Amino acid sequence: MSVALAGSPAASSTQYEPLRVMIVDDSVVIRGLISRWIEAEPDMTVAASLRTGLDAVNQIDRIRPDVAVLDIEMPELDGISALPKLLAKKRDLIIIMASTLTRRNAEISFKALSLGASDYIPKPETTREPHAADIFKHDLLQKIRHLGGKVRRRVTALAPAHATAVAAPTVLRESVAAPAPAAQTVASQAALVKRSFGPTAPRVLLIGSSTGGPQALMALVADIGPVIDRYPVLITQHMPPTFTTILAEHLMRASRHPAHEGVDGEAIKPGRIYLAPGGRHMRVAKQGGNPVIALDDGPPVNFCKPAVDPLFTSAIDVWQSGILAVVLTGMGSDGMRGGKDIVAAGGSVIAQDEASSVVWGMPGAAANAGICAAVLPLNQIGPKLVRLFSGDRS
């Protein structure tokens, strides 16, 4: 792990104030827990801890948060009602919706995404279960850091050259180091090593996504009707149970094709979308010579369950070089190792570009690994897939 010291050349590009986080939750236990986690991190601080959405709306001008963790169910003004009011007062506010794992709250979380929320996070049913609390902590801090960091990048890129820099913490961890300026990022993305598409016509489409994925997936499946008509589409989105059930319903409406959570042992057929169910890895296998879904209750991979790598890697035994994989927006590097295996087997990988990604973690990892045949804006991926599955190999 690289370490940069304040005042050193490496630290000159990483001088940022801690992210200001506003916690809005009617549970004093949850507020206290999240507050302790945030204050223990060098790159973020608690700007306010509030009990209701009304408190947040009334005080946001004074608090000036970068990120809000917003509970759904609160007295006086609930999260979904407070959301548009907060964004009206601070358009660049990153809002992460927090809710328990119920169908109603999952549906509200999807509505919140359409209203401008950046992401969602499921709260554990009890904070006394260490494993559940650890996962919640890890996911929440990563979302705050990466989503908040993207807003900070945009502000920094627009800041005058003579603006006074804010002193950085004495020690900066690799995960909190500031990204390159926008112009440098564009230049480096243009210089990414790309390879030719595999010579074999694709016979299946695999998609992996995480943060920002639900919105990206909805847009993508709406553009690839001709592909879905003739080929199976398998998707792993980092998402808990209940949420994947509702996402499948949204994908069915957006694509106008059958879409559902994969069922262990079911046959994989053209014309359908199969989504990895929350809490299970979705792999593929052969049964009687035909491809089938194989669900796996093993440990998390890349901190995720479901994870993208198990789907990507397992598909090689079924479709060999006839795989086209897409890595969409998301934190971390899930999908990169599986993508390497796909390319080694003769298949191809496309990654979403940085500008259109909510977080350029997963697609960035794939792109920087040199395994992608194309790195494209989201609105260009669908048309490209239609051409590739129609025989265009350019």
Side-chain angles (χ1 to χ4, degrees), residues 308-330:
V308 179
D309 279 338
L311 172 63
F312 281 12
T313 302
S314 66
I316 296 167
D317 288 337
V318 176
W319 290 287
Q320 292 82 43
S321 60
I323 299 172
L324 182 51
V326 177
V327 183
L328 297 177
T329 173

Side-chain angles (χ1 to χ4, degrees), residues 88 114 191:
S114 70

Side-chain angles (χ1 to χ4, degrees), residues 43-231:
D43 57 327
M44 57 186 76
T45 189
V46 176
S49 177
L50 307 174
R51 192 179 71 89
T52 74
L54 185 60
D55 292 337
V57 172
N58 290 338
Q59 298 184 48
I60 188 171
D61 291 334
R62 175 184 63 81
I63 296 167
R64 297 181 298 105
D66 300 304
V67 180
V69 181
L70 187 61
D71 187 25
I72 286 179
E73 296 176 322
M74 293 179 290
E76 297 184 22
L77 190 69
D78 62 23
I80 197 68
S81 302
L83 170 65
K85 297 178 185 293
L86 292 170
L87 290 174
K89 290 195 169 190
K90 194 173 190 299
R91 290 179 59 188
D92 64 346
L93 179 66
I94 295 295
I95 297 181
I96 301 171
M97 304 301 295
S99 70
T100 52
L101 277 174
T102 66
R103 181 179 176 91
R104 175 180 176 275
N105 284 342
E107 289 174 338
I108 292 173
S109 296
F110 275 95
K111 182 180 179 182
L113 292 176
S114 70
L115 293 175
S118 300
D119 205 356
Y120 60 89
I121 187 166
K123 293 194 289 189
E125 295 180 7
T126 173
T127 56
R128 296 190 197 91
E129 174 35 73
H131 179 65
D134 287 346
I135 293 174
F136 179 51
K137 174 184 178 182
H138 173 271
D139 290 350
L140 178 61
L141 294 178
Q142 289 298 307
K143 289 175 188 289
I144 292 171
R145 179 168 290 127
H146 288 278
L147 293 169
K150 186 162 186 176
V151 171
R152 186 66 51 83
R153 286 202 294 277
R154 288 202 297 268
V155 171
T156 303
L158 296 173
H162 62 272
T164 303
V166 179
T170 302
V171 177
L172 294 175
R173 297 179 305 172
E174 186 178 32
S175 60
V176 304
Q184 182 179 332
T185 303
V186 171
S188 62
Q189 186 163 309
L192 288 171
V193 175
K194 301 187 186 73
R195 57 181 61 237
S196 300
F197 284 97
T200 305
R203 292 179 288 142
V204 65
L205 175 61
L206 309 180
I207 305 173
S209 53
S210 183
T211 308
Q215 305 98 308
L217 286 168
M218 240 85 76
L220 180 59
V221 299
D223 285 345
I224 59 170
V227 176
I228 306 172
D229 284 340
R230 299 173 56 200
Y231 302 93

